[in-house]
Amino acid sequence: MSIGIIVPGLLNYAPYIKSYTDLFDDLNMKYTFICWNRNNDKLNDYDNVVVFNKTSYESDSFVKKIYAYFLFSLFVKKHLKYNKYEFLTVHTIACAIFIKSILKQKKYILDIRDFSPLIPFFSNSLLFLVQNSLATAISSNAYKKWLPKNHQYILSHNIRKTDLDINKFDSCMIQSNNKIEVLTIGQIRDFSSNSKLIKCLRNSEYFNLKFIGDGTELINLKKYSIDINNIEFSGRYNKKEEPRLVIKSDVINILLPNTPEAMTQMTNRFYLGLIFRKPMMVNKDSIQAYYVEKFNLGLTISCYDNIHNELLGYFQNFNSKEFEKGCTKVLNIIKNDIYLFDNTIKEILKKNNETNINSIRYK
């Protein structure tokens, strides 16, 4: 069976793709990535990839992004016209909407990792895409709040099985010069929540703030922090360095803008906190707060003004046994979810393969 994996980006920006390729590799299935090089990156490390080269930066206007997606869709449609795949996985809502016309004749799994601003304008198209997919995978059960109702969705976490099997880490306090290191790692996209955090902890004798990664708001946050002596900014990092960077921290900042879209996300930082046993700060009304509160994984923040005292109180009363127990419980839940996801996809592939064999047999 040949599989086409359509991703509006490169694979290093979409690590969740490996949840599929690990499974395809186990089943000895051939697949080709149909990708978009949006940031003019080097492509030395990529195999079995068809690449559309057209820059489309996160800072571009909405109209410019839409036009770039349109061009990518033309590239995908042309490729699918001359290259036949028995099965497709289509990643992101925007990508699926733009190639909807060709998906009408294809067998596909739709994979949704975040909210799209196109949804209010293309709600009927999204309903069609969900109804006609062999399955729709989502990275957060809270997405059901804004997805089409009365449909079955498969939970697919933003993490690989192999990442859950790494050596167990102990939660060691405090790592950094007897000061609590607050880490924000990954894409730096939101000025509002991050600037509020900086304001609350600036020049504190108890905390260091570290921002590691790139993003649209990095420059603005640097300007905001010119006169602050307990903050450090690092740019883009190599994914292989991530464990070392996280281990050196004490608490992970996962505070997000207070929007329905952000509050339904399960972030990569959440999984990093679990794996490397680091407490996390999350918004009170977010889906992540459910896990943090129920399993004692850190702090839920409803008001930024008191973050300084809340953090100090948390670490003064930190219960390592309860925290470790909570991490283990949630990781076991995730392992079970991954098991269910793998079995569901295997069953879909098996049925699809049997259908293809029977159609050939009776021609």
Side-chain angles (χ1 to χ4, degrees):
M1 180 184 294
S2 60
I3 299 171
I5 302 174
I6 305 172
V7 192
L10 292 180
L11 307 185
N12 52 309
Y13 296 105
Y16 56 83
I17 294 294
K18 291 181 179 176
S19 297
Y20 290 89
T21 57
D22 286 346
L23 185 58
F24 298 156
D25 289 338
D26 288 344
L27 299 172
N28 294 315
M29 292 180 169
K30 295 181 180 180
Y31 51 85
T32 298
F33 299 103
I34 307 161
C35 295
W36 181 359
N37 185 6
R38 303 170 71 165
N39 297 302
N40 198 27
D41 291 324
K42 294 181 180 179
L43 303 173
N44 298 338
D45 298 330
Y46 291 89
D47 297 316
N48 57 308
V49 175
V50 178
V51 180
F52 174 63
N53 289 292
K54 166 69 178 174
T55 55
S56 177
Y57 299 113
E58 195 173 351
S59 57
D60 286 349
S61 69
F62 181 70
V63 173
K64 198 170 181 180
K65 287 178 181 177
I66 292 295
Y67 181 64
Y69 258 102
F70 170 70
L71 295 178
F72 176 62
S73 72
L74 294 180
F75 174 83
V76 172
K77 290 175 183 178
K78 183 177 180 180
H79 177 80
L80 294 180
K81 182 178 180 180
Y82 296 104
N83 297 269
K84 303 301 180 184
Y85 299 99
E86 297 167 64
F87 187 82
L88 299 172
T89 66
V90 185
H91 301 269
T92 79
I93 291 172
C95 181
I97 287 173
F98 273 92
I99 63 169
K100 176 189 167 188
S101 60
I102 202 166
L103 289 179
K104 290 178 179 180
Q105 303 114 36
K106 303 290 183 181
K107 296 178 180 179
Y108 64 93
I109 287 175
L110 175 60
D111 186 277
I112 296 172
R113 298 285 150 175
D114 51 26
F115 182 84
S116 170
L118 295 179
I119 290 176
F121 307 102
F122 294 94
S123 56
N124 288 336
S125 292
L126 179 58
L127 176 61
F128 172 88
L129 290 162
V130 170
Q131 286 177 330
N132 288 276
S133 67
L134 295 177
T136 299
I138 55 177
S139 58
S140 168
N141 275 327
Y143 289 172
K144 295 174 185 177
K145 293 180 180 180
W146 45 259
L147 282 169
K149 308 299 181 186
N150 303 318
H151 291 280
Q152 292 293 322
Y153 297 97
I154 316 169
L155 183 60
S156 175
H157 289 279
N158 284 325
I159 194 166
R160 301 170 73 185
K161 284 184 294 188
T162 52
D163 291 333
L164 300 177
D165 295 331
I166 62 176
N167 293 331
K168 181 177 177 293
F169 287 84
D170 294 323
S171 50
C172 301
M173 312 297 169
I174 297 296
Q175 300 287 340
S176 176
N177 300 321
N178 295 319
K179 294 181 76 173
I180 298 168
E181 183 165 293
V182 182
L183 175 65
T184 305
I185 189 167
Q187 288 291 310
I188 314 297
R189 291 173 175 157
D190 181 56
F191 180 82
S192 176
S193 60
N194 287 318
S195 62
K196 289 176 184 176
L197 176 65
I198 293 169
K199 180 181 179 181
C200 293
L201 301 182
R202 63 185 177 186
N203 300 328
S204 170
E205 62 180 304
Y206 301 105
F207 298 100
N208 285 325
L209 288 158
K210 182 170 283 188
F211 286 80
I212 303 177
D214 202 355
T216 52
E217 294 301 327
L218 182 61
I219 293 175
N220 290 330
L221 287 170
K222 282 183 177 181
K223 291 178 181 177
Y224 181 80
S225 307
I226 286 176
D227 296 324
I228 297 175
N229 61 29
N230 65 333
I231 193 166
E232 178 184 339
F233 291 93
S234 303
R236 188 183 298 185
Y237 61 93
N238 190 310
K239 190 71 176 175
K240 294 177 182 178
E241 297 176 339
E242 199 167 60
R244 177 181 63 82
L245 297 171
V246 175
I247 289 169
K248 290 170 64 178
S249 71
D250 301 306
V251 58
I252 298 180
N253 165 34
I254 322 180
L255 296 174
L256 301 170
N258 191 17
T259 64
E261 299 81 21
M263 293 301 97
T264 55
Q265 288 180 8
M266 294 293 292
T267 62
N268 292 330
R269 293 175 203 169
F270 178 85
Y271 297 102
L272 290 175
L274 289 174
I275 292 171
F276 297 107
R277 303 301 197 268
K278 299 298 175 183
M280 52 194 92
M281 288 190 296
V282 302
N283 303 75
K284 178 73 175 176
D285 297 322
S286 66
I287 178 64
Q288 295 174 133
Y290 163 79
Y291 293 98
V292 170
E293 290 175 342
K294 183 173 182 178
F295 298 99
N296 301 306
L297 302 178
L299 299 88
T300 57
I301 303 297
S302 56
C303 176
Y304 283 79
D305 293 342
N306 201 36
I307 286 179
H308 189 281
N309 292 335
E310 286 188 55
L311 270 175
L312 277 180
Y314 177 81
F315 283 108
Q316 286 169 358
N317 299 290
F318 181 71
N319 187 324
S320 60
K321 288 185 179 179
E322 286 299 309
F323 176 74
E324 295 281 351
K325 189 188 299 183
C327 288
T328 300
K329 285 181 178 179
V330 178
L331 286 169
N332 285 334
I333 291 171
I334 292 169
K335 286 180 182 179
N336 186 60
D337 289 337
I338 292 174
Y339 173 80
L340 293 173
F341 170 80
D342 284 356
N343 281 352
T344 302
I345 301 302
K346 282 179 182 178
E347 191 63 29
I348 290 170
L349 293 171
K350 180 182 176 183
K351 288 180 179 178
N352 184 65
N353 196 40
E354 288 174 351
T355 301
N356 288 339
I357 292 172
N358 288 334
S359 65
I360 293 171
R361 183 180 299 160
Y362 296 110
K363 275 187 178 179

